Amino acid sequence: MSQTKQPTNTGALATLVIVFFFWGFIAASNSILIPFCKTHFHLNQFQSQLIGSAFYGAYFIGSLILFILSNTKGTDLLNKIGYKKGIIYGLWISVVGALLIIPSANANSFPAILISLFIVALGFSLQQTAAQPFAIVLGDPSTGSHRLNLGGGVNSLGTTLGPIIVSFFLFGSASANPEEATITNINSLYLIVAAVFAAVALFFTFSKLPDGKNDEKFEKANKAARSLLLMTAIIAGVIVVGQLTNVDKLPLLVATILTVVGILFYSNNAAKKESEGWGAMRYQQLILGMLGIFVYVGVEVTIDNNFGALLKVPGYFNEAGLNESEISHFVSLYWGSLMIGRWTGAIGVFNLSKTGKTIATVIVPFVAFAVVLLANYVKGNNISDLYAYAGVVAIMVLAFFYGQEKPVKTLLTVSVLATIAMLVGVFTNGLVSVYALMAGGLCCSVMWPCIFSLGVAGLGKYTSQGSAFLIMMILGGAVIPPLQGTFGDNPSIGMHNSYLIAAACFAFLALLAIRMRGVLKAQGLDFDNQIGGGH
């Protein structure tokens, strides 16, 4: 839908991107918290991945609750209160969760920590559901994807700094031993996190940001609601079986994935026969997009969340294996790789000439890489083993030029490169393997906007609803990491070979890009002419 060009509210946008920073900061911090909890609570790799399951599962539950309540009342509750208040309420929910981590840690209760992290992420779910469309209404819709890429770039700055700062709080310095990390360190960290969330909430409350509402009519989708509730009930049943019985975790995780895939395709097939009541689920590109987001978020998270355990394996990076306090610079390199790509994707926010854009596309990735190196240097990490990663960045710059910001072409290109990188990472050791696995972050950096834009293409009045469904599929971050963790716990496979799961995920995304192109072309949509969305 064409609209009159409107200027971007730069002041409001600058305020909004603060929230993007903290999503990244906390999400990436889990990468350090996971190996710490694994050691402190004597967990296996599957159990340690429940941190990610609690965190990313909250996104699904939060989005689902909001959708069900809105559908029941026949009105978009978030639009009713306004995006600004949605973000504020979400921040206060996260404050409660961060504060609850303190007594949970003091009680030495891992389940309580999981519940507390779930509450933190529940707040994030509301913040994200509000912030994504809020960024779009702060300027012309045609440039909305650029504003979201800018937010994604700031988000990635948080993911880069998060592991370094959290590692410092838990271990004191780069040379600290893991035994030095105590519950007191966790208390101090999350007290500060809660205080910062509260400060940002107050800042938003008293800022002169617009309420952020739109005039779109809410479309009820009762059949889609029942379908999503059924999916939730089955997954909940699987979780209960897993907790109350000794059934092997692998078939339960596979059952969860099959449930998601099966219900989504059942819903779409049913909607083709009778579209009434299905809303956005009648569109096959949305169903494919939901699967794409599920797998993309899952693989983005699993590469990192299992990486700490891999670095500790004797003989992988070095003979003895690294301890928790020595992994933060590699973890920050992964999330820094995401930042490199997203900063490059945000270049479109600025009104540059074609030549200026080309120059920026070459320079910005290396500036972002320099920020990663500087952050680690300031923290006290040895960065000499990170320099050569510049060669990997150069390869990705060529991939960005080849993709030409076209969603299908870009998604296919980076998915194929990521598949190759994962295979190299599995079949090599040491720094070469580390670089290959970390390159997954560079490839993931531009996947969200590609999948998101393709998923909502041609949805018309169902675009807002389709966007909410896509955000629900962040659920993949709760399922795929423990799946890889289960393979990693198997002595006959091991953590190193478990990264074949990541290779399979990227190969699936490559096939998905081809399939989505065909589905959209059948509807007369050549969506390689634009790109939208951001994460």
Side-chain angles (χ1 to χ4, degrees):
M1 182 175 66
S2 61
Q3 298 185 17
T4 304
K5 288 283 184 180
Q6 60 188 87
T8 298
N9 187 335
T10 52
L13 180 62
T15 305
L16 179 63
V17 295
I18 295 173
V19 181
F20 281 77
F21 176 86
F22 287 108
W23 296 339
F25 181 91
I26 298 299
S29 299
N30 290 341
S31 311
I32 302 298
L33 190 61
I34 285 170
F36 168 76
C37 286
K38 183 179 179 181
T39 300
H40 184 79
F41 293 105
H42 308 293
L43 309 173
N44 61 31
Q45 188 61 16
F46 167 81
Q47 291 169 329
S48 71
Q49 292 307 303
L50 293 177
I51 288 178
S53 297
F55 192 82
Y56 291 98
Y59 275 91
F60 175 76
I61 296 299
S63 299
L64 179 64
I65 290 173
L66 187 61
F67 169 69
I68 296 298
L69 290 176
S70 296
N71 195 69
T72 301
K73 293 182 176 294
T75 182
D76 188 337
L77 294 180
L78 186 56
N79 189 48
K80 188 174 182 179
I81 64 173
Y83 299 135
K84 176 182 174 180
K85 285 186 178 178
I87 292 172
I88 293 170
Y89 295 158
L91 282 164
W92 284 117
I93 292 172
S94 295
V95 168
V96 172
L99 289 175
L100 284 174
I101 288 177
I102 296 173
S104 300
N106 289 338
N108 208 38
S109 172
F110 183 62
I113 287 178
L114 293 180
I115 293 172
S116 303
L117 282 171
F118 180 88
I119 295 172
V120 170
L122 207 59
F124 281 9
S125 172
L126 182 54
Q127 293 168 46
Q128 177 140 235
T129 305
Q132 302 265 351
F134 197 12
I136 299 224
V137 302
L138 289 178
D140 193 87
S142 65
T143 57
S145 64
H146 299 316
R147 289 189 292 280
L148 284 169
N149 271 324
L150 178 63
V154 175
N155 171 277
S156 293
L157 180 61
T159 61
T160 302
L161 297 179
I164 297 172
I165 295 173
V166 171
S167 180
F168 179 81
F169 269 96
L170 289 182
F171 306 114
S173 70
S175 60
N177 295 315
E179 289 76 19
E180 294 177 16
T182 65
I183 295 299
T184 303
N185 300 77
I186 289 185
N187 291 348
S188 301
L189 172 65
Y190 281 96
L191 187 61
I192 293 173
V193 167
V196 172
F197 283 157
V200 175
L202 291 172
F203 179 72
F204 266 72
T205 301
F206 296 107
S207 68
K208 294 182 179 180
L209 285 173
D211 288 333
K213 298 182 179 182
N214 61 54
D215 300 322
E216 291 183 4
K217 182 180 181 298
F218 182 80
E219 293 285 343
K220 295 186 72 170
N222 293 327
K223 292 179 181 177
R226 287 195 292 269
S227 181
L228 289 168
L229 285 173
L230 176 61
M231 179 192 297
T232 306
I234 295 175
I235 293 174
V238 170
I239 292 172
V240 170
V241 170
Q243 291 299 312
L244 300 182
T245 70
N246 292 321
V247 175
D248 189 64
K249 299 299 185 291
L250 181 58
L252 295 177
L253 289 164
V254 172
T256 301
I257 294 173
L258 292 177
T259 296
V260 173
V261 174
I263 288 182
L264 287 180
F265 277 116
Y266 162 78
S267 301
N268 184 241
N269 289 331
K272 287 179 181 177
K273 298 174 183 176
E274 175 54 60
S275 62
E276 186 66 28
W278 283 105
M281 280 192 175
R282 70 187 67 185
Y283 294 94
Q284 191 175 2
Q285 62 264 37
L286 175 68
I287 299 299
L288 293 172
M290 291 172 74
L291 289 173
I293 292 294
F294 181 89
V295 173
Y296 150 70
V297 174
V299 71
E300 178 187 282
V301 175
T302 199
I303 290 173
D304 174 68
N305 282 9
N306 286 288
F307 191 56
L310 177 59
L311 287 171
K312 293 173 66 177
V313 173
Y316 169 68
F317 186 77
N318 58 22
E319 186 175 345
L322 303 179
N323 62 48
E324 284 92 340
S325 64
E326 296 174 315
I327 67 176
S328 67
H329 70 306
F330 287 127
V331 171
S332 75
L333 179 64
Y334 177 73
W335 294 103
S337 295
L338 286 160
M339 181 180 74
I340 291 167
R342 288 168 181 167
W343 280 23
T344 307
I347 291 172
V349 171
F350 307 99
N351 188 22
L352 300 175
S353 65
K354 185 176 180 180
T355 302
K357 189 174 182 179
T358 299
I359 294 173
T361 302
V362 173
I363 294 176
V364 168
F366 291 99
V367 171
F369 180 50
V371 170
V372 176
L373 294 178
L374 178 62
N376 278 283
Y377 176 78
V378 170
K379 197 262 180 182
N381 287 332
N382 178 10
I383 60 175
S384 61
D385 52 3
L386 302 183
Y387 293 146
Y389 193 71
V392 182
V393 175
I395 294 173
M396 285 309 300
V397 170
L398 296 176
F400 291 156
F401 277 117
Y402 179 75
Q404 299 174 304
E405 293 190 341
K406 295 179 178 180
V408 172
K409 191 175 184 181
T410 299
L411 180 59
L412 180 59
T413 300
V414 296
S415 296
V416 170
L417 284 176
T419 304
I420 295 171
M422 294 304 104
L423 293 175
V424 171
V426 168
F427 295 111
T428 58
N429 288 303
L431 203 56
V432 172
S433 178
V434 169
Y435 281 2
L437 296 179
M438 295 303 91
L442 285 170
C443 296
C444 283
S445 67
V446 290
M447 285 185 175
W448 176 282
C450 294
I451 298 169
F452 207 97
S453 62
L454 294 168
V456 299
L459 265 57
K461 65 181 181 180
Y462 296 108
T463 300
S464 179
Q465 187 182 96
S467 298
F469 289 164
L470 287 170
I471 289 174
M472 286 183 196
M473 288 297 102
I474 289 176
L475 174 68
V479 179
I480 293 177
L483 176 66
Q484 183 184 347
T486 301
F487 279 104
D489 281 331
N490 187 325
S492 63
I493 297 174
M495 281 309 307
H496 197 180
N497 289 330
S498 74
Y499 273 84
L500 288 171
I501 294 290
C505 287
F506 284 125
F508 171 82
L509 290 172
L511 294 173
L512 184 81
I514 297 171
R515 178 60 182 154
M516 291 184 87
R517 178 176 58 190
V519 168
L520 290 171
K521 280 193 173 182
Q523 298 175 28
L525 295 169
D526 182 9
F527 218 62
D528 255 5
N529 290 325
Q530 63 185 76
I531 185 166
H535 177 56

